[in-house]
């Protein structure tokens, strides 16, 4: 299999590629992930995933052939607002206080650059996640673990936050940041086979 450039430093996304036996190299894109009020919340993850690919292409040597670049972006959508990565502990507490006892949507968009066709294709995964009611003590305990760092909505479903998840309707790997079924279909569609 050809190696894929992963435009992300996410350990979970790397774990998923390892599980699929996809060789990869991490190249961290430098993009501005500031969300302006003019952006439609639903459009943000696709915009950022595409921007990550464009940033990696600009970073790499102009004479280097690039076969594949994979990028993804995940946002929490709740009450018409985006819950991105909390900037500090207080924001993480605020996010979890809002989400506890309620259902929110997690949207992850993956973008794949195919160097042969010089084109980018995208796929979206939307999963509904319901938190159990949480006390202030539970929220503070969870935030103290530090898992909120770098996590959309201030939680990681694959770790201690699973104590507080009542139900998941959709793709668990999508909530983790890289929906496996959508990735498989996209790679297959683009001629990148995992089975050969």
């Amino acid at each position: 299999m050809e190696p894929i450039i992963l435009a992300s430093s996410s350990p979970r996304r790397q774990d998923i590629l390892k599980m699929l036996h996809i060789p990869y190299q991490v190249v961290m894109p430098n993009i501005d992930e500031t969300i302006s009020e003019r952006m439609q919340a639903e459009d943000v993850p696709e915009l950022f995933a595409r921007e990550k690919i464009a940033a990696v292409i600009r970073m790499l040597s102009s004479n280097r052939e690039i076969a594949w670049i994979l990028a993804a972006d995940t946002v929490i959508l709740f009450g018409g607002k985006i819950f991105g990565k909390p900037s500090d502990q207080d924001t993480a507490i605020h996010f979890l206080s809002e989400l506890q006892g309620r259902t929110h949507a997690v949207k992850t968009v993956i973008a794949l650059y195919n160097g042969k066709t010089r084109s980018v294709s995208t796929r979206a995964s939307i999963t509904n996640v319901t938190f159990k009611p949480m006390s202030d003590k539970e929220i503070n305990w969870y935030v103290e673990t530090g898992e909120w760092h770098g996590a959309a909505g201030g939680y990681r479903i694959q770790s201690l936050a699973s104590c507080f998840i009542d139900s998941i309707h959709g793709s668990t790997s999508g909530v983790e940041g890289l929906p496996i079924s959508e990735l498989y279909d996209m790679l297959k569609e683009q001629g990148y086979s995992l089975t050969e």
Side-chain angles (χ1 to χ4, degrees):
M1 280 188 277
E2 291 177 288
I4 287 178
I5 292 171
L6 177 62
S8 171
S9 62
S10 161
R12 186 60 190 137
R13 288 180 181 138
Q14 292 177 48
D15 288 345
I16 289 170
L17 291 185
K18 285 176 194 167
M19 181 195 72
L20 295 170
H21 302 288
I22 296 174
Y24 69 91
Q25 170 197 355
V26 172
V27 176
M28 264 303 295
N30 184 16
I31 69 162
D32 179 7
E33 292 191 58
T34 305
I35 299 167
S36 86
E37 291 180 12
R38 289 172 303 196
M39 294 178 178
Q40 291 289 331
E42 296 79 22
D43 298 338
V44 168
E46 180 169 346
L47 174 71
F48 285 170
R50 286 180 175 276
E51 283 185 7
K52 289 173 185 178
I53 285 181
V56 168
I57 290 170
R58 285 192 302 271
M59 288 167 63
L60 297 175
S61 168
S62 58
N63 60 0
R64 177 176 172 179
E65 281 194 34
I66 304 167
W68 305 95
I69 304 172
L70 176 65
D73 194 75
T74 302
V75 296
I76 306 292
L77 302 170
F78 179 72
K81 292 184 277 189
I82 290 179
F83 287 44
K85 297 171 186 172
S87 55
D88 54 39
Q89 204 163 315
D90 289 341
T91 306
I93 290 169
H94 170 71
F95 283 0
L96 292 170
S97 298
E98 291 282 308
L99 299 176
Q100 64 85 24
R102 298 181 177 98
T103 300
H104 61 273
V106 181
K107 183 171 185 179
T108 296
V109 173
I110 49 177
L112 180 68
Y113 172 80
N114 181 335
K116 294 180 189 77
T117 61
R118 294 178 186 252
S119 63
V120 176
S121 55
T122 61
R123 288 273 170 103
S125 164
I126 299 176
T127 302
N128 289 319
V129 177
T130 303
F131 265 93
K132 297 174 186 175
M134 296 169 71
S135 66
D136 289 347
K137 185 176 180 182
E138 287 171 320
I139 291 170
N140 287 321
W141 170 80
Y142 180 72
V143 170
E144 285 294 324
T145 69
E147 282 188 4
W148 61 269
H149 287 281
Y155 72 91
R156 295 187 192 283
I157 201 166
Q158 70 271 24
S159 200
L160 291 172
S162 58
C163 295
F164 307 109
I165 302 299
D166 190 44
S167 66
I168 301 167
H169 295 284
S171 168
T172 302
S173 58
V175 180
E176 294 173 1
L178 193 59
I180 295 169
S181 177
E182 287 81 355
L183 174 62
Y184 180 81
D185 289 347
M186 180 184 282
L187 290 170
K188 187 176 171 184
E189 187 180 88
Q190 294 293 319
Y192 187 103
S193 176
L194 298 182
T195 58
E196 291 176 2

